[in-house]
Structure formats: C-alpha cells, structure tokens
Amino acid sequence: MLGPISNAFSGLTNASKRLQNSANNLSNVLTSGFKKGQVNTVDSKAGGTGVNSISKVNTQGGFMPTNNPLDLAIQGNGFFQVANSNGSTSFTRSGSFSLDGAGQMVDPSGNPLVPAINIPFDNAGISVSDKGQVSAQTPDGTIALGQIQLATFINPSGLSVAGGNLFNESAESGAPAIGIPGAGGNGTVLSGFLEASNVDITEEMVDQIINRATFKANVKVIKTNNEMLGSLIDIKK
C-alpha cells in the first residue's frame, strides 16, 4: 500500500516542478533572447520518476525589428559576452545594448560588453556588420570601433542560470570557444533586431492543463490511500 503513496508523492513533486517551470517560461515570453526551460526526469529505484534537472532548450527564437542599431540578434550559434558585477564573464542571447555615461556598450543591467567597445557620442550613425564589426560615422569620416566576439559551448544546455537573462560557464557546458561571428560555425549578427523568446504559449498552456490534472490526480491517490490505511488501523483496534 505504501508503493502507490510513494509513486503518488513522486508524481506530485514532478507535476509541481513542471508547473513552476512552465510558469517561469510564460512569465518570460516577452524577454528577448530567453530560452525556455525543460524538466528532465529519471526513473526512481523506489518506483515512479524523479526530477533530474531543468535544462534550457536552445532553439532559435524569431527576430523582432527595432530599428536601433545597438539592438543585436544572433542568427545561429553563440552567445554575447558581458562582464558581470563580480568581475567574471557571463553569457547571454539577449543583445539589447545601449551606451553608458562613458559611451561603453552595456546590457540592460549595465554590464559591459566583452571585449569592450566604446562609441563616441558625437557620432552621426552607428553600424554593426553581420560579422560583428562596429563602426561609426563621425565628422572625420567612418571609424572602426571594435569587433564583437561570440562564445560557443560544446553543451550550451549545461550553462548555469545566473539571473537577468545571463548564463555562466559550468562543468556540464564546457569551456567557451571564442570566435568571430560568421566564422567557425558561429552565428552571424543582425543589427536592428532582437531575438524573441522561444517560448510557445500554446504548448505551455497545454502543459499547464496536463500538469494541474496530474497534480490533482496524485493528491487524490494519496488521500484515498490515507483513508484506507486509517480504516485498516481502526479495524485492528
């Protein structure tokens, strides 16, 4: 009788984790560059299944035009690099960049792009090529300002979530390989676009319905078994 209860508790935990993951996916449906989470399960020796991990699904999102040359999307493989607050490098697919007070390209949290690129405020226009070359029109003509580099990983789904749409290197992801956009299997850069979230709203809503039903069914199993155990104890008394 304890077997069904154990399996039901396992199902309850799995359904709860799936609901939380789906809710997080839906809350980030409008977050540029967001990659949806996926719950991975493993069979338990005690019966049922357990949550093994939650990994990121790194499929390409669509492209949203912004007409802002510092909004950048990656078409294909790779991550932008930014220097985070603790001095290490984090990685992101969100290319929503702007200029800080010193004219440095930074992400929405103020983390500088790596390698650093500074843009003069008196420019008459900024351009970013598909190869990641940043240049500006100035009174003295067109000047080259820097080269955007992308990081790729053997297992990008193994990157650890750092918050703020950032990821950190992990043992599962492997070390980053740094290269130029459009070379060595790296994706290219689209200026004036942002990559949309890869969350499918319909898919997430269906998952919500299924997992709510699963949650309720397992609660009912636990409740029924508790009542049966209570009845057996009363009989023995």
Side-chain angles (χ1 to χ4, degrees), residues 155-209:
N155 177 29
S157 294
L159 289 166
S160 62
V161 176
N165 218 3
L166 299 178
F167 299 93
N168 289 337
E169 174 188 344
S170 72
E172 289 75 22
S173 70
I178 310 301
I180 304 300
N186 295 332
T188 55
V189 173
L190 293 177
S191 176
F193 291 84
L194 289 174
E195 181 183 4
S197 163
N198 67 352
V199 174
D200 185 317
I201 296 177
T202 301
E203 180 181 278
E204 296 299 332
M205 294 304 294
V206 170
D207 282 350
Q208 289 267 319
I209 293 169

mmCIF file of all heavy atoms in Angstrom, residues 155-209:
data_model
loop_
_atom_site.group_PDB
_atom_site.id
_atom_site.type_symbol
_atom_site.label_atom_id
_atom_site.label_comp_id
_atom_site.label_asym_id
_atom_site.label_seq_id
_atom_site.Cartn_x
_atom_site.Cartn_y
_atom_site.Cartn_z
ATOM 1 N N ASN A 155 28.184 22.044 -24.943
ATOM 2 C CA ASN A 155 26.847 21.735 -24.434
ATOM 3 C C ASN A 155 26.222 22.998 -23.858
ATOM 4 O O ASN A 155 26.237 23.202 -22.632
ATOM 5 C CB ASN A 155 26.916 20.632 -23.374
ATOM 6 C CG ASN A 155 25.559 20.324 -22.764
ATOM 7 O OD1 ASN A 155 24.526 20.496 -23.412
ATOM 8 N ND2 ASN A 155 25.550 19.869 -21.515
ATOM 9 N N PRO A 156 25.655 23.861 -24.688
ATOM 10 C CA PRO A 156 25.067 25.108 -24.176
ATOM 11 C C PRO A 156 23.935 24.891 -23.186
ATOM 12 O O PRO A 156 23.676 25.747 -22.331
ATOM 13 C CB PRO A 156 24.584 25.827 -25.437
ATOM 14 C CG PRO A 156 24.474 24.778 -26.486
ATOM 15 C CD PRO A 156 25.539 23.770 -26.152
ATOM 16 N N SER A 157 23.240 23.741 -23.273
ATOM 17 C CA SER A 157 22.163 23.453 -22.325
ATOM 18 C C SER A 157 22.698 23.232 -20.918
ATOM 19 O O SER A 157 21.939 23.274 -19.951
ATOM 20 C CB SER A 157 21.375 22.212 -22.773
ATOM 21 O OG SER A 157 20.697 22.461 -23.985
ATOM 22 N N GLY A 158 24.012 23.010 -20.803
ATOM 23 C CA GLY A 158 24.633 22.792 -19.499
ATOM 24 C C GLY A 158 25.052 24.070 -18.799
ATOM 25 O O GLY A 158 25.540 24.023 -17.663
ATOM 26 N N LEU A 159 24.875 25.238 -19.439
ATOM 27 C CA LEU A 159 25.210 26.508 -18.796
ATOM 28 C C LEU A 159 24.350 26.711 -17.550
ATOM 29 O O LEU A 159 23.168 26.357 -17.536
ATOM 30 C CB LEU A 159 24.990 27.671 -19.771
ATOM 31 C CG LEU A 159 25.986 27.798 -20.925
ATOM 32 C CD1 LEU A 159 25.449 28.753 -21.981
ATOM 33 C CD2 LEU A 159 27.353 28.268 -20.427
ATOM 34 N N SER A 160 24.930 27.285 -16.518
ATOM 35 C CA SER A 160 24.164 27.546 -15.298
ATOM 36 C C SER A 160 23.472 28.898 -15.399
ATOM 37 O O SER A 160 24.035 29.860 -15.936
ATOM 38 C CB SER A 160 25.079 27.512 -14.069
ATOM 39 O OG SER A 160 26.068 28.522 -14.138
ATOM 40 N N VAL A 161 22.238 28.957 -14.911
ATOM 41 C CA VAL A 161 21.453 30.185 -14.962
ATOM 42 C C VAL A 161 21.974 31.152 -13.900
ATOM 43 O O VAL A 161 22.092 30.808 -12.727
ATOM 44 C CB VAL A 161 19.963 29.885 -14.726
ATOM 45 C CG1 VAL A 161 19.161 31.171 -14.689
ATOM 46 C CG2 VAL A 161 19.432 28.946 -15.802
ATOM 47 N N ALA A 162 22.289 32.381 -14.330
ATOM 48 C CA ALA A 162 22.845 33.373 -13.414
ATOM 49 C C ALA A 162 21.849 34.475 -13.074
ATOM 50 O O ALA A 162 22.148 35.354 -12.272
ATOM 51 C CB ALA A 162 24.111 33.989 -14.022
ATOM 52 N N GLY A 163 20.658 34.461 -13.675
ATOM 53 C CA GLY A 163 19.671 35.513 -13.455
ATOM 54 C C GLY A 163 19.901 36.676 -14.398
ATOM 55 O O GLY A 163 20.991 36.856 -14.946
ATOM 56 N N GLY A 164 18.865 37.471 -14.607
ATOM 57 C CA GLY A 164 18.987 38.614 -15.500
ATOM 58 C C GLY A 164 19.233 38.228 -16.941
ATOM 59 O O GLY A 164 19.874 38.973 -17.693
ATOM 60 N N ASN A 165 18.741 37.029 -17.326
ATOM 61 C CA ASN A 165 18.924 36.518 -18.688
ATOM 62 C C ASN A 165 20.389 36.232 -18.998
ATOM 63 O O ASN A 165 20.799 36.256 -20.157
ATOM 64 C CB ASN A 165 18.344 37.497 -19.723
ATOM 65 C CG ASN A 165 17.677 36.777 -20.884
ATOM 66 O OD1 ASN A 165 17.582 35.555 -20.919
ATOM 67 N ND2 ASN A 165 17.222 37.549 -21.865
ATOM 68 N N LEU A 166 21.184 35.975 -17.961
ATOM 69 C CA LEU A 166 22.597 35.655 -18.121
ATOM 70 C C LEU A 166 22.855 34.199 -17.745
ATOM 71 O O LEU A 166 22.129 33.601 -16.955
ATOM 72 C CB LEU A 166 23.463 36.558 -17.233
ATOM 73 C CG LEU A 166 23.399 38.062 -17.471
ATOM 74 C CD1 LEU A 166 24.290 38.780 -16.469
ATOM 75 C CD2 LEU A 166 23.818 38.410 -18.896
ATOM 76 N N PHE A 167 23.925 33.652 -18.339
ATOM 77 C CA PHE A 167 24.361 32.300 -18.029
ATOM 78 C C PHE A 167 25.839 32.321 -17.671
ATOM 79 O O PHE A 167 26.584 33.190 -18.121
ATOM 80 C CB PHE A 167 24.148 31.373 -19.233
ATOM 81 C CG PHE A 167 22.722 31.243 -19.672
ATOM 82 C CD1 PHE A 167 22.211 32.069 -20.658
ATOM 83 C CD2 PHE A 167 21.884 30.302 -19.102
ATOM 84 C CE1 PHE A 167 20.892 31.964 -21.075
ATOM 85 C CE2 PHE A 167 20.558 30.183 -19.506
ATOM 86 C CZ PHE A 167 20.066 31.022 -20.486
ATOM 87 N N ASN A 168 26.253 31.323 -16.881
ATOM 88 C CA ASN A 168 27.651 31.166 -16.540
ATOM 89 C C ASN A 168 28.162 29.818 -17.012
ATOM 90 O O ASN A 168 27.398 28.856 -17.130
ATOM 91 C CB ASN A 168 27.866 31.294 -15.024
ATOM 92 C CG ASN A 168 27.688 32.716 -14.521
ATOM 93 O OD1 ASN A 168 27.817 33.676 -15.288
ATOM 94 N ND2 ASN A 168 27.379 32.858 -13.248
ATOM 95 N N GLU A 169 29.443 29.763 -17.255
ATOM 96 C CA GLU A 169 30.100 28.512 -17.624
ATOM 97 C C GLU A 169 29.960 27.505 -16.496
ATOM 98 O O GLU A 169 29.962 27.866 -15.312
ATOM 99 C CB GLU A 169 31.575 28.810 -17.902
ATOM 100 C CG GLU A 169 32.447 27.599 -18.158
ATOM 101 C CD GLU A 169 33.917 27.956 -18.223
ATOM 102 O OE1 GLU A 169 34.249 29.148 -18.373
ATOM 103 O OE2 GLU A 169 34.746 27.037 -18.105
ATOM 104 N N SER A 170 29.843 26.224 -16.849
ATOM 105 C CA SER A 170 29.775 25.167 -15.838
ATOM 106 C C SER A 170 30.547 23.959 -16.346
ATOM 107 O O SER A 170 30.975 23.911 -17.508
ATOM 108 C CB SER A 170 28.314 24.765 -15.568
ATOM 109 O OG SER A 170 27.786 24.036 -16.665
ATOM 110 N N ALA A 171 30.711 22.980 -15.479
ATOM 111 C CA ALA A 171 31.392 21.748 -15.885
ATOM 112 C C ALA A 171 30.613 21.048 -16.993
ATOM 113 O O ALA A 171 31.199 20.429 -17.892
ATOM 114 C CB ALA A 171 31.566 20.829 -14.677
ATOM 115 N N GLU A 172 29.272 21.159 -16.925
ATOM 116 C CA GLU A 172 28.431 20.500 -17.931
ATOM 117 C C GLU A 172 28.502 21.199 -19.290
ATOM 118 O O GLU A 172 28.427 20.552 -20.333
ATOM 119 C CB GLU A 172 26.979 20.459 -17.461
ATOM 120 C CG GLU A 172 26.701 19.499 -16.318
ATOM 121 C CD GLU A 172 27.215 20.020 -14.982
ATOM 122 O OE1 GLU A 172 27.406 21.257 -14.860
ATOM 123 O OE2 GLU A 172 27.436 19.197 -14.078
ATOM 124 N N SER A 173 28.643 22.520 -19.293
ATOM 125 C CA SER A 173 28.680 23.261 -20.569
ATOM 126 C C SER A 173 30.024 23.148 -21.261
ATOM 127 O O SER A 173 30.129 23.202 -22.473
ATOM 128 C CB SER A 173 28.379 24.745 -20.327
ATOM 129 O OG SER A 173 29.448 25.387 -19.636
ATOM 130 N N GLY A 174 31.086 22.984 -20.464
ATOM 131 C CA GLY A 174 32.429 23.039 -21.008
ATOM 132 C C GLY A 174 32.895 24.474 -21.122
ATOM 133 O O GLY A 174 32.118 25.410 -20.922
ATOM 134 N N ALA A 175 34.158 24.653 -21.432
ATOM 135 C CA ALA A 175 34.727 25.993 -21.548
ATOM 136 C C ALA A 175 34.265 26.661 -22.842
ATOM 137 O O ALA A 175 33.999 25.982 -23.835
ATOM 138 C CB ALA A 175 36.253 25.923 -21.523
ATOM 139 N N PRO A 176 34.158 27.989 -22.845
ATOM 140 C CA PRO A 176 33.719 28.681 -24.073
ATOM 141 C C PRO A 176 34.798 28.696 -25.138
ATOM 142 O O PRO A 176 35.992 28.792 -24.843
ATOM 143 C CB PRO A 176 33.417 30.098 -23.574
ATOM 144 C CG PRO A 176 34.330 30.276 -22.391
ATOM 145 C CD PRO A 176 34.395 28.940 -21.736
ATOM 146 N N ALA A 177 34.356 28.597 -26.378
ATOM 147 C CA ALA A 177 35.241 28.814 -27.530
ATOM 148 C C ALA A 177 34.881 30.180 -28.089
ATOM 149 O O ALA A 177 33.725 30.426 -28.435
ATOM 150 C CB ALA A 177 35.041 27.725 -28.574
ATOM 151 N N ILE A 178 35.838 31.081 -28.146
ATOM 152 C CA ILE A 178 35.583 32.463 -28.552
ATOM 153 C C ILE A 178 35.953 32.647 -30.017
ATOM 154 O O ILE A 178 37.022 32.219 -30.464
ATOM 155 C CB ILE A 178 36.388 33.456 -27.692
ATOM 156 C CG1 ILE A 178 36.196 33.145 -26.194
ATOM 157 C CG2 ILE A 178 35.993 34.872 -28.007
ATOM 158 C CD1 ILE A 178 34.777 33.206 -25.721
ATOM 159 N N GLY A 179 35.064 33.278 -30.787
ATOM 160 C CA GLY A 179 35.345 33.485 -32.202
ATOM 161 C C GLY A 179 34.567 34.645 -32.794
ATOM 162 O O GLY A 179 33.754 35.286 -32.129
ATOM 163 N N ILE A 180 34.825 34.875 -34.056
ATOM 164 C CA ILE A 180 34.197 35.966 -34.784
ATOM 165 C C ILE A 180 32.859 35.501 -35.360
ATOM 166 O O ILE A 180 32.751 34.376 -35.858
ATOM 167 C CB ILE A 180 35.114 36.444 -35.935
ATOM 168 C CG1 ILE A 180 36.489 36.831 -35.390
ATOM 169 C CG2 ILE A 180 34.482 37.610 -36.688
ATOM 170 C CD1 ILE A 180 36.460 37.945 -34.377
ATOM 171 N N PRO A 181 31.810 36.325 -35.302
ATOM 172 C CA PRO A 181 30.535 35.949 -35.918
ATOM 173 C C PRO A 181 30.712 35.561 -37.392
ATOM 174 O O PRO A 181 31.465 36.191 -38.126
ATOM 175 C CB PRO A 181 29.690 37.229 -35.780
ATOM 176 C CG PRO A 181 30.252 37.921 -34.584
ATOM 177 C CD PRO A 181 31.727 37.644 -34.629
ATOM 178 N N GLY A 182 30.032 34.500 -37.769
ATOM 179 C CA GLY A 182 30.086 34.058 -39.157
ATOM 180 C C GLY A 182 31.267 33.182 -39.492
ATOM 181 O O GLY A 182 31.437 32.770 -40.650
ATOM 182 N N ALA A 183 32.114 32.855 -38.511
ATOM 183 C CA ALA A 183 33.295 32.025 -38.760
ATOM 184 C C ALA A 183 33.315 30.850 -37.790
ATOM 185 O O ALA A 183 32.862 30.959 -36.655
ATOM 186 C CB ALA A 183 34.570 32.846 -38.603
ATOM 187 N N GLY A 184 33.826 29.714 -38.258
ATOM 188 C CA GLY A 184 33.988 28.557 -37.386
ATOM 189 C C GLY A 184 32.711 28.013 -36.793
ATOM 190 O O GLY A 184 32.703 27.519 -35.667
ATOM 191 N N GLY A 185 31.612 28.110 -37.512
ATOM 192 C CA GLY A 185 30.335 27.599 -37.006
ATOM 193 C C GLY A 185 29.584 28.574 -36.135
ATOM 194 O O GLY A 185 28.499 28.248 -35.628
ATOM 195 N N ASN A 186 30.139 29.778 -35.933
ATOM 196 C CA ASN A 186 29.430 30.795 -35.145
ATOM 197 C C ASN A 186 28.308 31.412 -35.954
ATOM 198 O O ASN A 186 28.394 31.514 -37.185
ATOM 199 C CB ASN A 186 30.394 31.906 -34.710
ATOM 200 C CG ASN A 186 31.462 31.408 -33.766
ATOM 201 O OD1 ASN A 186 31.247 30.445 -33.035
ATOM 202 N ND2 ASN A 186 32.616 32.045 -33.786
ATOM 203 N N GLY A 187 27.268 31.863 -35.260
ATOM 204 C CA GLY A 187 26.180 32.553 -35.932
ATOM 205 C C GLY A 187 26.609 33.938 -36.386
ATOM 206 O O GLY A 187 27.711 34.410 -36.074
ATOM 207 N N THR A 188 25.748 34.584 -37.122
ATOM 208 C CA THR A 188 26.002 35.963 -37.564
ATOM 209 C C THR A 188 25.167 36.925 -36.727
ATOM 210 O O THR A 188 24.250 36.518 -36.007
ATOM 211 C CB THR A 188 25.664 36.135 -39.052
ATOM 212 O OG1 THR A 188 24.309 35.712 -39.281
ATOM 213 C CG2 THR A 188 26.593 35.310 -39.930
ATOM 214 N N VAL A 189 25.498 38.205 -36.829
ATOM 215 C CA VAL A 189 24.834 39.235 -36.037
ATOM 216 C C VAL A 189 23.875 40.035 -36.911
ATOM 217 O O VAL A 189 24.224 40.446 -38.015
ATOM 218 C CB VAL A 189 25.874 40.177 -35.396
ATOM 219 C CG1 VAL A 189 25.183 41.356 -34.707
ATOM 220 C CG2 VAL A 189 26.731 39.418 -34.389
ATOM 221 N N LEU A 190 22.667 40.240 -36.396
ATOM 222 C CA LEU A 190 21.680 41.080 -37.075
ATOM 223 C C LEU A 190 21.510 42.361 -36.276
ATOM 224 O O LEU A 190 21.074 42.330 -35.119
ATOM 225 C CB LEU A 190 20.335 40.362 -37.189
ATOM 226 C CG LEU A 190 20.258 39.132 -38.095
ATOM 227 C CD1 LEU A 190 18.860 38.517 -38.020
ATOM 228 C CD2 LEU A 190 20.594 39.482 -39.524
ATOM 229 N N SER A 191 21.871 43.493 -36.863
ATOM 230 C CA SER A 191 21.729 44.785 -36.189
ATOM 231 C C SER A 191 20.336 45.349 -36.434
ATOM 232 O O SER A 191 19.790 45.246 -37.539
ATOM 233 C CB SER A 191 22.793 45.759 -36.715
ATOM 234 O OG SER A 191 22.629 47.040 -36.164
ATOM 235 N N GLY A 192 19.757 45.953 -35.388
ATOM 236 C CA GLY A 192 18.410 46.500 -35.511
ATOM 237 C C GLY A 192 17.328 45.477 -35.243
ATOM 238 O O GLY A 192 16.155 45.720 -35.531
ATOM 239 N N PHE A 193 17.713 44.342 -34.649
ATOM 240 C CA PHE A 193 16.766 43.280 -34.317
ATOM 241 C C PHE A 193 17.088 42.733 -32.926
ATOM 242 O O PHE A 193 18.230 42.791 -32.462
ATOM 243 C CB PHE A 193 16.845 42.116 -35.315
ATOM 244 C CG PHE A 193 16.356 42.433 -36.689
ATOM 245 C CD1 PHE A 193 17.209 43.039 -37.611
ATOM 246 C CD2 PHE A 193 15.060 42.127 -37.078
ATOM 247 C CE1 PHE A 193 16.769 43.333 -38.896
ATOM 248 C CE2 PHE A 193 14.616 42.420 -38.363
ATOM 249 C CZ PHE A 193 15.464 43.022 -39.273
ATOM 250 N N LEU A 194 16.072 42.176 -32.268
ATOM 251 C CA LEU A 194 16.267 41.406 -31.055
ATOM 252 C C LEU A 194 15.704 40.006 -31.277
ATOM 253 O O LEU A 194 14.690 39.836 -31.962
ATOM 254 C CB LEU A 194 15.556 42.059 -29.865
ATOM 255 C CG LEU A 194 16.156 43.361 -29.323
ATOM 256 C CD1 LEU A 194 15.249 43.946 -28.241
ATOM 257 C CD2 LEU A 194 17.563 43.139 -28.784
ATOM 258 N N GLU A 195 16.366 39.016 -30.709
ATOM 259 C CA GLU A 195 15.848 37.656 -30.788
ATOM 260 C C GLU A 195 14.708 37.501 -29.789
ATOM 261 O O GLU A 195 14.853 37.836 -28.616
ATOM 262 C CB GLU A 195 16.945 36.631 -30.487
ATOM 263 C CG GLU A 195 16.450 35.188 -30.592
ATOM 264 C CD GLU A 195 17.513 34.152 -30.228
ATOM 265 O OE1 GLU A 195 18.621 34.561 -29.822
ATOM 266 O OE2 GLU A 195 17.219 32.955 -30.339
ATOM 267 N N ALA A 196 13.590 36.998 -30.255
ATOM 268 C CA ALA A 196 12.439 36.798 -29.374
ATOM 269 C C ALA A 196 12.636 35.552 -28.519
ATOM 270 O O ALA A 196 13.469 34.687 -28.820
ATOM 271 C CB ALA A 196 11.165 36.671 -30.203
ATOM 272 N N SER A 197 11.879 35.457 -27.447
ATOM 273 C CA SER A 197 11.854 34.248 -26.626
ATOM 274 C C SER A 197 11.409 33.068 -27.486
ATOM 275 O O SER A 197 10.611 33.218 -28.413
ATOM 276 C CB SER A 197 10.871 34.445 -25.474
ATOM 277 O OG SER A 197 10.511 33.219 -24.887
ATOM 278 N N ASN A 198 11.927 31.872 -27.182
ATOM 279 C CA ASN A 198 11.495 30.682 -27.930
ATOM 280 C C ASN A 198 10.357 29.943 -27.234
ATOM 281 O O ASN A 198 10.086 28.772 -27.526
ATOM 282 C CB ASN A 198 12.673 29.745 -28.197
ATOM 283 C CG ASN A 198 13.232 29.101 -26.926
ATOM 284 O OD1 ASN A 198 12.852 29.449 -25.817
ATOM 285 N ND2 ASN A 198 14.154 28.165 -27.091
ATOM 286 N N VAL A 199 9.694 30.623 -26.305
ATOM 287 C CA VAL A 199 8.552 30.022 -25.588
ATOM 288 C C VAL A 199 7.335 29.963 -26.509
ATOM 289 O O VAL A 199 6.973 30.955 -27.138
ATOM 290 C CB VAL A 199 8.209 30.830 -24.318
ATOM 291 C CG1 VAL A 199 6.936 30.283 -23.662
ATOM 292 C CG2 VAL A 199 9.371 30.804 -23.343
ATOM 293 N N ASP A 200 6.720 28.786 -26.588
ATOM 294 C CA ASP A 200 5.482 28.588 -27.343
ATOM 295 C C ASP A 200 4.321 28.663 -26.348
ATOM 296 O O ASP A 200 4.150 27.766 -25.510
ATOM 297 C CB ASP A 200 5.510 27.220 -28.042
ATOM 298 C CG ASP A 200 4.309 26.981 -28.937
ATOM 299 O OD1 ASP A 200 3.177 27.311 -28.526
ATOM 300 O OD2 ASP A 200 4.489 26.462 -30.053
ATOM 301 N N ILE A 201 3.524 29.727 -26.423
ATOM 302 C CA ILE A 201 2.456 29.952 -25.443
ATOM 303 C C ILE A 201 1.454 28.798 -25.434
ATOM 304 O O ILE A 201 1.045 28.315 -24.373
ATOM 305 C CB ILE A 201 1.728 31.282 -25.717
ATOM 306 C CG1 ILE A 201 2.688 32.461 -25.544
ATOM 307 C CG2 ILE A 201 0.537 31.442 -24.775
ATOM 308 C CD1 ILE A 201 2.071 33.808 -25.875
ATOM 309 N N THR A 202 1.053 28.338 -26.613
ATOM 310 C CA THR A 202 0.070 27.247 -26.699
ATOM 311 C C THR A 202 0.609 25.987 -26.033
ATOM 312 O O THR A 202 -0.099 25.321 -25.261
ATOM 313 C CB THR A 202 -0.279 26.953 -28.169
ATOM 314 O OG1 THR A 202 -0.802 28.132 -28.783
ATOM 315 C CG2 THR A 202 -1.302 25.832 -28.258
ATOM 316 N N GLU A 203 1.853 25.669 -26.312
ATOM 317 C CA GLU A 203 2.483 24.482 -25.728
ATOM 318 C C GLU A 203 2.524 24.586 -24.202
ATOM 319 O O GLU A 203 2.228 23.610 -23.499
ATOM 320 C CB GLU A 203 3.897 24.348 -26.285
ATOM 321 C CG GLU A 203 4.681 23.153 -25.770
ATOM 322 C CD GLU A 203 6.084 23.123 -26.350
ATOM 323 O OE1 GLU A 203 6.234 22.642 -27.490
ATOM 324 O OE2 GLU A 203 7.017 23.596 -25.679
ATOM 325 N N GLU A 204 2.863 25.757 -23.700
ATOM 326 C CA GLU A 204 2.956 25.939 -22.249
ATOM 327 C C GLU A 204 1.580 25.858 -21.596
ATOM 328 O O GLU A 204 1.441 25.298 -20.495
ATOM 329 C CB GLU A 204 3.613 27.278 -21.915
ATOM 330 C CG GLU A 204 5.048 27.410 -22.379
ATOM 331 C CD GLU A 204 5.981 26.388 -21.770
ATOM 332 O OE1 GLU A 204 5.708 25.931 -20.635
ATOM 333 O OE2 GLU A 204 6.977 26.026 -22.416
ATOM 334 N N MET A 205 0.548 26.393 -22.248
ATOM 335 C CA MET A 205 -0.798 26.331 -21.684
ATOM 336 C C MET A 205 -1.294 24.893 -21.623
ATOM 337 O O MET A 205 -1.946 24.486 -20.650
ATOM 338 C CB MET A 205 -1.749 27.201 -22.506
ATOM 339 C CG MET A 205 -1.463 28.693 -22.441
ATOM 340 S SD MET A 205 -1.449 29.347 -20.751
ATOM 341 C CE MET A 205 -3.166 29.127 -20.290
ATOM 342 N N VAL A 206 -0.988 24.107 -22.656
ATOM 343 C CA VAL A 206 -1.371 22.689 -22.647
ATOM 344 C C VAL A 206 -0.651 21.960 -21.515
ATOM 345 O O VAL A 206 -1.254 21.156 -20.785
ATOM 346 C CB VAL A 206 -1.040 22.033 -24.006
ATOM 347 C CG1 VAL A 206 -1.199 20.513 -23.927
ATOM 348 C CG2 VAL A 206 -1.935 22.585 -25.102
ATOM 349 N N ASP A 207 0.655 22.255 -21.340
ATOM 350 C CA ASP A 207 1.416 21.641 -20.253
ATOM 351 C C ASP A 207 0.829 22.007 -18.889
ATOM 352 O O ASP A 207 0.771 21.177 -17.977
ATOM 353 C CB ASP A 207 2.885 22.093 -20.308
ATOM 354 C CG ASP A 207 3.687 21.360 -21.379
ATOM 355 O OD1 ASP A 207 3.154 20.379 -21.930
ATOM 356 O OD2 ASP A 207 4.826 21.770 -21.656
ATOM 357 N N GLN A 208 0.390 23.269 -18.759
ATOM 358 C CA GLN A 208 -0.217 23.707 -17.502
ATOM 359 C C GLN A 208 -1.473 22.881 -17.193
ATOM 360 O O GLN A 208 -1.665 22.433 -16.060
ATOM 361 C CB GLN A 208 -0.581 25.193 -17.593
ATOM 362 C CG GLN A 208 0.604 26.140 -17.595
ATOM 363 C CD GLN A 208 0.946 26.637 -16.213
ATOM 364 O OE1 GLN A 208 0.068 26.949 -15.420
ATOM 365 N NE2 GLN A 208 2.225 26.705 -15.905
ATOM 366 N N ILE A 209 -2.303 22.688 -18.204
ATOM 367 C CA ILE A 209 -3.540 21.924 -18.012
ATOM 368 C C ILE A 209 -3.237 20.485 -17.620
ATOM 369 O O ILE A 209 -3.811 19.927 -16.670
ATOM 370 C CB ILE A 209 -4.404 21.962 -19.302
ATOM 371 C CG1 ILE A 209 -4.904 23.387 -19.559
ATOM 372 C CG2 ILE A 209 -5.569 20.980 -19.199
ATOM 373 C CD1 ILE A 209 -5.538 23.585 -20.919
#
